Amino acid sequence: MIIGGGPGGYEAALVAAQLGAEVTVVDCDGLGGASVLTDCVPSKTLIATAEVMTTFDSSYEELGIIVADDTPPMEQAARVVGVDLGKVNRRVKRLALAQSHDITASVTRAGARVMRGRGRLEGMQGLDGSRKVVVRAADGSEETLTADAVLIATGGHPRELADARPDGERILNWTQVYDLEELPEELVVVGSGVTGAEFAGAYQALGSRVTLVSSRDRVLPGEDPDAAAVLEDVFRRRGMNVMSRSRAQSVKRVGDRVEVTLSDGRVIGGSHCLMAVGAIPNTEGMGLEEAGVRLKDSGHIKTDRVSRTSAPGVYAAGDVTGVFALASVAAMQGRIAMYHFLGDAVTPLNLKTVSANVFTDPEIATVGYSQADVDAGKIDARVVKLPLLRNPRAKMQGIRDGFVKIFCRPGTEIVVGGVVVAPRASELIHPISIAVDNNLTVEQIANAFTVYPSLSGSIAEVARQLHTRKAGGEQ
């Protein structure tokens, strides 16, 4: 039995069904969960449009591209391309629903049963080791099912501040922005983590005037500091008002405007406000603690590296566990849970091989140990960072911002981490991810052929520099 149809849930269902188990997935919104319907897929679809806008703007200026119209090129306005946000958002929602339907079709083809409703655990484990799950349908009817094992994959929902409640029109959370028909003229984004930074960059590219309110010293406080510095510099150069060390205290609507009051008394005005202040796990009202499932103070479910909870026969996966809020990690947790329960070969979750990406422009991709780990002495590693400005392909494409950074062990030269800041960094991080996952050395990366010219050539060049510095002594 799987409660929740996000990546952890539907991937677990596919694995279990393929291994011959009888599987039921209980979900109230549609398979794919928030990741597909309101979070990852929609936001990245919106960002895809923003990327086109940014690419055009930079190409227009850097590469000499002009748009033919009745106005001579030199007299054209600074921005010659606009966006129909209503059309963009309709496409976003259409693609999200299509993806959800595709997932449902895949799961049912594999032999799993999909039930629409909300599930909760009922009581303790039975004498035969089974678990009871009560499914409540939208019409209020209930059905009790018995399962040998239960996977909780119910995800999370946007966190709200007491004095900044979203109204879905002017004050928005990240699930509500796709109902907008017109581009916000002045958007205040509260929160400078991954979600806040991605939306701030996207709406700026689409044409909004954006103010990003950050309670920390810099944007993306949890990311590589060099990468965050590059992105913040890009944001500021493109006209974004980045307010560091500024904590939002309240947000209120004043007519067709919003006012954001900071903790120091300053007030910021805008046409809209997007709240991006974290997420709350969907664990309330599910009977988890009564069933023996231990929760963290944050409400997340405690799990081990094979997705087991403290209750026998109960597993958990995805954002509900508080372990790396990534669809890829949720999916892996779900697969691991099913492999473990069904007695198949299983490799425990290793977070040091997880690759992640921030879909800003430029993107920030990371894998393995970080600069913070090195600085804190958690691992002894040598580091080389190479700016993309030196890369011939980057010069051809007009790319000025970004770098490649690789971490390796000083003795063995085994690659233990990396950072890429570049357009499509999400694609460029993969060779470094393979190196981290397979304990490859910088010499092995350096000796592999790369295409010339290519951005990936910088990865090989960083590896060569790391290997040369060992051979010739530290520089």
Side-chain angles (χ1 to χ4, degrees):
M1 172 69 68
I2 297 170
I3 304 177
Y10 72 75
E11 286 289 344
L14 289 171
V15 166
Q18 289 161 2
L19 291 175
E22 184 178 333
V23 185
T24 298
V25 183
V26 178
D27 185 82
C28 58
D29 298 316
L31 293 198
S35 176
V36 169
L37 293 169
T38 60
D39 189 359
C40 188
V41 170
S43 66
K44 282 26 170 201
T45 305
L46 177 75
I47 288 168
T49 300
E51 286 176 350
V52 173
M53 299 288 288
T54 302
T55 300
F56 184 87
D57 282 352
S58 61
S59 299
Y60 174 69
E61 188 171 331
E62 176 78 14
L63 305 184
I65 295 175
I66 63 173
V67 175
D69 63 8
D70 296 330
T71 307
M74 294 303 294
E75 298 178 15
Q76 290 178 2
R79 164 155 285 193
V80 295
V81 175
V83 65
D84 181 341
L85 188 65
K87 187 174 182 179
V88 170
N89 281 337
R90 287 189 290 276
R91 176 176 182 266
V92 165
K93 290 189 280 190
R94 186 172 64 251
L95 290 178
L97 284 174
Q99 180 70 5
S100 178
H101 292 156
D102 287 347
I103 292 169
T104 302
S106 296
V107 169
T108 53
R109 277 198 307 269
R113 175 192 181 194
V114 178
M115 294 182 65
R116 184 59 67 92
R118 297 183 181 275
R120 70 176 188 272
L121 292 178
E122 185 74 7
M124 304 298 289
Q125 185 181 29
L127 295 177
D128 59 352
S130 64
R131 290 280 179 176
K132 288 185 178 180
V133 175
V134 178
V135 181
R136 184 180 180 85
D139 62 5
S141 62
E142 291 189 348
E143 181 178 353
T144 300
L145 305 174
T146 301
D148 296 320
V150 178
L151 173 70
I152 309 297
T154 47
H157 60 276
R159 178 172 171 257
E160 295 182 0
L161 302 183
D163 294 322
R165 300 292 187 189
D167 62 10
E169 295 179 354
R170 294 286 173 175
I171 306 173
L172 308 159
N173 62 39
W174 71 74
T175 72
Q176 298 169 329
V177 293
Y178 309 110
D179 292 326
L180 292 175
E181 285 293 322
E182 295 183 357
L183 188 70
E185 183 179 348
E186 300 172 87
L187 178 66
V188 181
V189 179
V190 176
S192 63
V194 172
T195 300
E198 287 183 346
F199 275 114
Y203 277 103
Q204 182 187 46
L206 294 173
S208 298
R209 293 195 299 275
V210 176
T211 296
L212 180 59
V213 178
S214 172
S215 62
R216 308 291 285 275
D217 291 339
R218 56 180 172 84
V219 300
L220 296 175
E223 298 296 322
D224 180 272
D226 293 333
V230 168
L231 184 65
E232 185 167 336
D233 180 60
V234 169
F235 277 175
R236 293 182 187 276
R237 287 204 324 261
R238 291 176 180 168
M240 187 183 298
N241 178 22
V242 180
M243 302 183 66
S244 304
R245 297 180 294 278
S246 301
R247 184 177 297 276
Q249 182 171 294
S250 66
V251 182
K252 67 179 180 179
R253 183 170 174 173
V254 182
D256 60 355
R257 302 277 295 173
V258 295
E259 289 185 352
V260 180
T261 302
L262 306 182
S263 57
D264 61 7
R266 288 178 294 169
V267 177
I268 306 165
S271 62
H272 297 76
C273 178
L274 171 61
M275 301 299 297
V277 290
I280 303 296
N282 294 327
T283 52
E284 190 174 349
M286 292 187 62
L288 297 179
E289 291 182 293
E290 294 83 352
V293 177
R294 295 178 60 190
L295 304 179
K296 304 175 185 177
D297 292 340
S298 60
H300 292 95
I301 298 173
K302 292 184 177 181
T303 58
D304 62 13
R305 292 177 61 202
V306 292
S307 303
R308 289 179 298 189
T309 72
S310 56
V314 181
Y315 295 78
D319 291 1
V320 76
T321 68
V323 178
F324 272 20
L326 299 171
S328 58
V329 173
M332 185 62 73
Q333 287 178 299
R335 296 188 203 107
I336 288 172
M338 293 301 99
Y339 290 140
H340 182 269
F341 171 69
L342 295 172
D344 203 51
V346 60
T347 301
L349 183 67
N350 180 7
L351 295 179
K352 286 306 176 185
T353 63
V354 173
S355 55
N357 193 70
V358 183
F359 288 86
T360 47
D361 183 31
E363 293 181 358
I364 300 173
T366 56
V367 65
Y369 284 93
S370 66
Q371 185 70 58
D373 293 329
V374 175
D375 294 342
K378 293 182 179 179
I379 187 171
D380 185 15
R382 293 190 295 118
V383 184
V384 165
K385 182 181 76 170
L386 185 67
L388 284 184
L389 271 174
R390 304 180 189 178
N391 181 288
R393 181 68 170 171
K395 293 175 183 176
M396 297 169 192
Q397 293 181 302
I399 298 171
R400 301 177 179 179
D401 303 292
F403 61 80
V404 173
K405 178 193 289 190
I406 293 178
F407 307 90
C408 78
R409 299 286 282 168
T412 61
E413 290 195 333
I414 289 175
V415 177
V416 293
V419 182
V420 178
V421 180
R424 297 292 190 272
S426 50
E427 314 292 344
L428 291 169
I429 197 66
H430 192 230
I432 305 178
S433 297
I434 292 174
V436 171
D437 195 45
N438 292 278
N439 295 317
L440 301 183
T441 66
V442 290
E443 182 180 13
Q444 288 173 303
I445 295 178
N447 287 338
F449 278 96
T450 57
V451 172
Y452 181 86
S454 69
L455 296 183
S456 61
S458 289
I459 296 174
E461 178 58 30
V462 171
R464 278 191 288 273
Q465 289 191 20
L466 278 165
H467 180 58
T468 301
R469 290 188 181 190
K470 178 186 177 183
E474 293 293 335
Q475 298 179 4

